[in-house]
Amino acid sequence: CTMSMSGDEEMKLRIECKSRGMSYWCEFTGKPSVCRAFRNNPKIYWNQIAIELRKLPHACESTQVLKATMCQKAPTEALMMQVAAGMEPEDLANQEKSDQKTSTSMRGAGKS
């Protein structure tokens, strides 16, 4: 899985995962900046979020809210709430097949 963050006060977190021929993603939004601990050290905040996500069997289906332990007492607007999710079961498998075909045909062309 990969995690990418964007935004300033209103943060957007996008998670993209690929496993067993499936690809899924989800997005969370929130205002972690209202948490003083986040403002003091955002790196630790995102590390705590990543640790929580690693504990889940499915990062996008298992939780609607992401909480960092360092911001437990922060207002609810500081929480990262899930706003969107999606799954692409066939796209990744088709992409892998086309990659294999490309590499095979390239090898053939190199030999001749």
Side-chain angles (χ1 to χ4, degrees), residues 92-103:
L92 185 65
N94 290 341
Q95 187 179 13
E96 286 174 355
K97 287 177 189 172
S98 66
D99 288 348
Q100 289 172 352
K101 286 178 188 172
T102 305
S103 62

Side-chain angles (χ1 to χ4, degrees), residues 69-111:
T69 53
M70 67 192 278
C71 289
Q72 283 181 334
K73 294 179 182 175
T76 55
E77 64 186 317
L79 298 174
M80 298 299 287
M81 308 283 238
Q82 192 177 105
V83 292
M87 193 174 287
E88 295 130 24
E90 295 174 21
D91 294 353
L92 185 65
N94 290 341
Q95 187 179 13
E96 286 174 355
K97 287 177 189 172
S98 66
D99 288 348
Q100 289 172 352
K101 286 178 188 172
T102 305
S103 62
T104 305
S105 60
M106 286 177 152
R107 273 191 234 119
K111 289 177 185 173

Side-chain angles (χ1 to χ4, degrees), residues 10-72:
E10 176 86 27
M11 298 287 297
K12 182 170 130 182
L13 170 67
R14 182 173 175 91
I15 300 166
E16 296 182 54
C17 297
K18 293 177 178 132
S19 68
R20 297 185 198 138
M22 283 185 62
S23 160
Y24 63 91
W25 60 272
C26 53
E27 291 180 353
F28 293 83
T29 61
K31 295 182 181 180
S33 60
V34 300
C35 168
R36 189 181 322 147
F38 171 84
R39 291 192 308 267
N40 291 340
N41 201 334
K43 187 176 179 179
I44 290 177
Y45 174 87
W46 293 117
N47 283 341
Q48 288 182 355
I49 293 291
I51 289 167
E52 288 303 310
L53 286 168
R54 281 188 202 114
K55 293 177 186 176
L56 303 172
H58 189 296
C60 293
E61 283 182 0
S62 301
T63 186
Q64 294 293 310
V65 180
L66 296 175
K67 300 175 188 175
T69 53
M70 67 192 278
C71 289
Q72 283 181 334

